[in-house]
Amino acid sequence: MPQSMIIKQEGNYIRYVWAMIFIAYVSWIFYMSSSVPHITLPELFENQDKVIHAGVFGLLSLVAWRVFSLWSRLTYVKLLALIFTSLYGVLDEWHQSFVIGRNSDTMDWLADTLGALIALSLLKYFQKRAAKHNEPPPDCHEMQLLPVGQLDLHDSVH
């Protein structure tokens, strides 16, 4: 089998793994918002739940960005991930309004969206920083492979 076919198959495998992670994560969020919370965390500070919302949806935005960047060639993938995450937050809050023992809160949705914005902004910052230091950014679509004969497998120690 040609090496290019192996690379393409590995790329497809990675795409499907990330898609499964994405589906599992949005399903987990839906499951958690479909029931009365069974886990009660000690309240360490006021509005702790907003920080948790921001963290959960910040992670969702990063997973969405990764999936969208692997499955499309759109230029504005981070913006698409932000919009998706914000809309998912709206739908999550609307869904909670129908769950007995839960309520819908606009401030939760704002925390969801702010968490996504912060996470994607940090991603952009670290991508720019990596590019400045000539490191490949985390969203490389193309793998550059050298034929085995051109690889330098020996470390040069002087």
Side-chain angles (χ1 to χ4, degrees), residues 123-144:
L123 173 66
K124 185 173 182 172
Y125 167 78
F126 285 114
Q127 285 177 327
K128 283 186 176 186
R129 186 172 175 214
K132 187 185 274 189
H133 290 65
N134 294 327
E135 299 170 9
D139 68 341
C140 291
H141 286 94
E142 303 294 326
M143 296 191 323
Q144 295 181 1

Side-chain angles (χ1 to χ4, degrees), residues 43-56:
E43 190 167 331
L44 303 175
F45 52 90
E46 191 175 348
N47 294 322
Q48 175 177 316
D49 66 313
K50 305 304 182 252
V51 175
I52 293 170
H53 269 264
V56 167

Side-chain angles (χ1 to χ4, degrees), residues 104-133:
S104 181
D105 184 3
T106 305
M107 294 306 289
D108 285 349
W109 167 71
L110 288 173
D112 300 342
T113 303
L114 183 61
L117 184 62
I118 290 169
L120 292 167
S121 296
L122 286 171
L123 173 66
K124 185 173 182 172
Y125 167 78
F126 285 114
Q127 285 177 327
K128 283 186 176 186
R129 186 172 175 214
K132 187 185 274 189
H133 290 65

Side-chain angles (χ1 to χ4, degrees), residues 64-138:
W65 160 78
R66 189 65 189 143
V67 169
F68 298 161
S69 67
L70 289 171
W71 285 87
S72 74
R73 297 288 181 201
L74 296 173
T75 306
Y76 299 102
V77 179
K78 288 181 191 77
L79 179 61
L80 180 63
L82 177 64
I83 292 168
F84 168 81
T85 304
S86 183
L87 288 176
Y88 193 77
V90 167
L91 290 174
D92 181 54
E93 292 304 317
W94 178 71
H95 166 250
Q96 285 184 43
S97 70
F98 297 104
V99 176
I100 297 171
R102 301 296 299 250
N103 62 342
S104 181
D105 184 3
T106 305
M107 294 306 289
D108 285 349
W109 167 71
L110 288 173
D112 300 342
T113 303
L114 183 61
L117 184 62
I118 290 169
L120 292 167
S121 296
L122 286 171
L123 173 66
K124 185 173 182 172
Y125 167 78
F126 285 114
Q127 285 177 327
K128 283 186 176 186
R129 186 172 175 214
K132 187 185 274 189
H133 290 65
N134 294 327
E135 299 170 9

